Amino acid sequence: MAAENEPTPTDPQAIKRHRALFRAVRRRRNPPLRRTDITVTDEAAVKRAVKAASLGNAMEWFDFGIYSYLAVTIGHVFFPSGNDTVQLISSFATFAVSFLVRPLGGMVFGPMGDKIGRKKVLAMTMIMMAVGTFAIGLIPSYDSIGFWAPALLILFRLVQGFSTGGEYGGASTFIAEYAPDKRRGFFGSFLEFGTLAGYVGAAGLVVILTGWLGSDGMESWGWRVPFLVAGPIGLVGLYLRLRLDETPAFQKLEDESAHKASDAASTVEATATGDLAKIFRDYWPTLILCICLVGAYNITDYMLLSYMPTYLSDEMGYKESHGLLILIGTMVVLMCVINQVGRLSDRFGRKPLLMAGMLGFFFLSIPSFLLVKNGALWAVSLGMLMLGFSLVCMLGTMSAALPALFPTQVRYGSLSVGYNLSASLFGGTTPLVITALISVTGTDMMPAYYAMAASLIGVIAVACMKETAQQPLAGSPPSVETKEEAAELVESQANVPKF
């Protein structure tokens, strides 16, 4: 293997004198592609896996989104009465706490997913999220048990955060490894469709309860209902995930006779060691790139999907339910276009779509927030949609772009570590940082400035990444939709993969 990693000398005279030797070296570094190297996907199995992974992801983010949309109410219930801003900052600080343990969850669940398979780990994360969310709905208020109320809230938020550490890396890896190379963007976009669906469900339930019970009823007991609903929803998500088929690479490990691959492919698929130290030692440049991409993406994502309802109610004087309704409308529009964005990323590449999203936030954040500050419904809606269309360029592309950064044997672990380190540092702290910056500076344009700074980092990161659209995943043989396509690929040998 060492010889395969050594660069071929470029001395023309040496090549001329030893043509046969250099041909042999090139063939060893790029072994001829055989039909057995190529994975021909089963479309029905792909759709089943994508549906189950995306629905499970929707369940997870329903649970996680509830807290965001009840932040003001939770601040009143779990923290001492007094300054409303202090209560809100305390609530968002508790929101951010769960992100502190996400990297730990990623470091535990990620390598575990590379060792025992994606399916089992995704089932575990589903159970933990449902338990953590359901338990929050049972905690007595601060008026009832004093200090223990916020202490228990923080404990179960930590459980939520730990489980989420294994969610995105596992779900995106699962779909990426199932999808054919030329449609990975399209199928991957369903993962974030599930995220938006979870957020819409959480926000919709909060709006219905608030309209029915009013603010007093919500603070008295109504806030508990969305958290308690997480119990049965979690059981549904668990059922879906337990019915998932494992990705082809791990099915092969369980039953060697089920999938016969070439020696080169077998070597790749059998080395899923999940070595955490190896991830940091050998893949740190890609980890840094992943952290920068995810940081820019998460800051803009949480600013729009988690913080904006609070901004509309606290800074603009909107009723909480009205702010949520505008956000729900925005997210429904994004759900209608996100799969088309995935198709575009398959056709034109991941980098153009990601760059469009980053530049959209850089140039449109200030105009968007000026529209939101206008206060009129049309202006607020237009401002939110401008930000939303910038975000959907990233939402529809990122779930296919990020798994392709890392090779198969360390993909789940590397992506979980990189994604959650970034989410911990930048994503979950976004509502807290923006609220604090507005309080300190006195300007309600801080969300726009913060999003612009994040997107500038994102532009640099996108410029540095490699294009991966329509290419095999690193460390995996090509994946196609039909036997005819596989035969054509073997015959053409135009782009021979490097195993």
Side-chain angles (χ1 to χ4, degrees), residues 58-68 70 74 78 98 125-139 152-164 198 202 205 223-235:
M59 306 294 182
E60 285 258 356
W61 291 106
F62 171 87
D63 292 357
F64 211 74
I66 290 168
Y67 190 98
S68 304
L70 288 172
I74 287 173
F78 285 99
S98 69
T125 62
M126 189 78 254
I127 294 170
M128 288 190 67
M129 175 60 82
V131 169
T133 308
F134 185 80
I136 289 175
L138 300 176
I139 303 174
L152 288 171
L153 177 64
I154 290 171
L155 172 64
F156 293 120
R157 285 292 293 166
L158 291 175
V159 173
Q160 282 186 316
F162 191 79
S163 74
T164 308
L205 183 56
W223 67 270
R224 299 183 185 277
V225 175
F227 289 98
L228 296 177
V229 167
I233 285 182
L235 292 177

Side-chain angles (χ1 to χ4, degrees), residues 42-246:
D42 178 353
E43 185 174 359
V46 173
K47 290 181 178 179
R48 190 165 56 248
V50 169
K51 185 187 298 183
S54 300
L55 284 173
N57 195 56
M59 306 294 182
E60 285 258 356
W61 291 106
F62 171 87
D63 292 357
F64 211 74
I66 290 168
Y67 190 98
S68 304
Y69 303 134
L70 288 172
V72 175
T73 301
I74 287 173
H76 293 159
V77 171
F78 285 99
F79 298 97
S81 59
N83 189 303
D84 286 344
T85 301
V86 172
Q87 283 187 327
L88 183 59
I89 289 176
S90 298
S91 180
F92 278 139
T94 307
F95 177 82
V97 158
S98 69
F99 285 79
L100 296 178
V101 295
R102 279 185 65 164
L104 296 178
M107 291 178 189
V108 171
F109 288 125
M112 189 185 299
D114 284 328
K115 288 180 180 179
I116 67 173
R118 287 53 165 137
K119 171 182 172 179
K120 294 176 183 176
V121 174
L122 285 173
M124 282 189 273
T125 62
M126 189 78 254
I127 294 170
M128 288 190 67
M129 175 60 82
V131 169
T133 308
F134 185 80
I136 289 175
L138 300 176
I139 303 174
S141 67
Y142 182 87
D143 291 338
S144 300
I145 60 173
F147 164 79
W148 289 105
L152 288 171
L153 177 64
I154 290 171
L155 172 64
F156 293 120
R157 285 292 293 166
L158 291 175
V159 173
Q160 282 186 316
F162 191 79
S163 74
T164 308
E167 172 60 26
Y168 185 89
S172 59
T173 293
F174 200 93
I175 293 177
E177 291 181 350
Y178 252 107
D181 295 332
K182 292 184 178 181
R183 300 184 70 194
R184 191 175 300 118
F186 171 68
F187 285 118
S189 66
F190 280 93
L191 184 67
E192 294 295 359
F193 181 93
T195 299
L196 290 171
Y199 275 134
V200 167
L205 183 56
V206 171
V207 167
I208 292 170
L209 287 171
T210 302
W212 177 34
L213 300 174
S215 297
D216 292 340
M218 284 297 288
E219 287 190 20
S220 174
W221 63 272
W223 67 270
R224 299 183 185 277
V225 175
F227 289 98
L228 296 177
V229 167
I233 285 182
L235 292 177
V236 173
L238 179 62
Y239 171 74
L240 290 171
R241 291 197 164 173
L242 289 176
R243 293 188 64 213
L244 283 171
D245 294 325
E246 187 54 88

Side-chain angles (χ1 to χ4, degrees), residues 330-473:
T330 302
M331 289 192 292
V332 169
V333 172
L334 300 190
M335 289 172 68
C336 293
V337 301
I338 190 168
N339 297 134
Q340 298 309 313
V341 173
R343 288 184 193 272
L344 289 174
S345 77
D346 283 329
R347 182 175 179 182
F348 298 107
R350 318 292 185 223
K351 293 183 67 171
L353 272 296
L354 290 175
M355 188 65 77
M358 299 296 181
L359 291 176
F361 270 104
F362 186 77
F363 289 109
L364 298 179
S365 287
I366 289 178
S368 296
F369 271 88
L370 290 175
L371 283 169
V372 170
K373 287 179 64 177
N374 176 278
L377 179 61
W378 70 267
V380 175
S381 300
L382 180 58
M384 294 277 280
L385 281 174
M386 288 168 63
L387 295 173
F389 283 126
S390 299
L391 179 62
V392 81
C393 290
M394 294 184 273
L395 282 174
T397 309
M398 201 68 78
S399 52
L402 292 178
L405 293 175
F406 302 99
T408 302
Q409 65 267 30
V410 294
R411 180 170 297 121
Y412 195 156
S414 300
L415 181 53
S416 294
V417 170
Y419 188 93
N420 289 294
L421 278 173
S422 187
S424 175
L425 293 171
F426 307 112
T429 59
T430 296
L432 172 63
V433 170
I434 292 176
T435 303
L437 286 174
I438 291 175
S439 178
V440 170
T441 63
T443 173
D444 52 11
M445 288 295 290
M446 284 310 301
Y449 303 146
Y450 197 53
M452 289 174 66
S455 63
L456 184 59
I457 300 297
V459 166
I460 298 171
V462 173
C464 293
M465 69 179 284
K466 294 179 180 179
E467 183 57 71
T468 57
Q470 299 196 26
Q471 299 176 17
L473 290 168

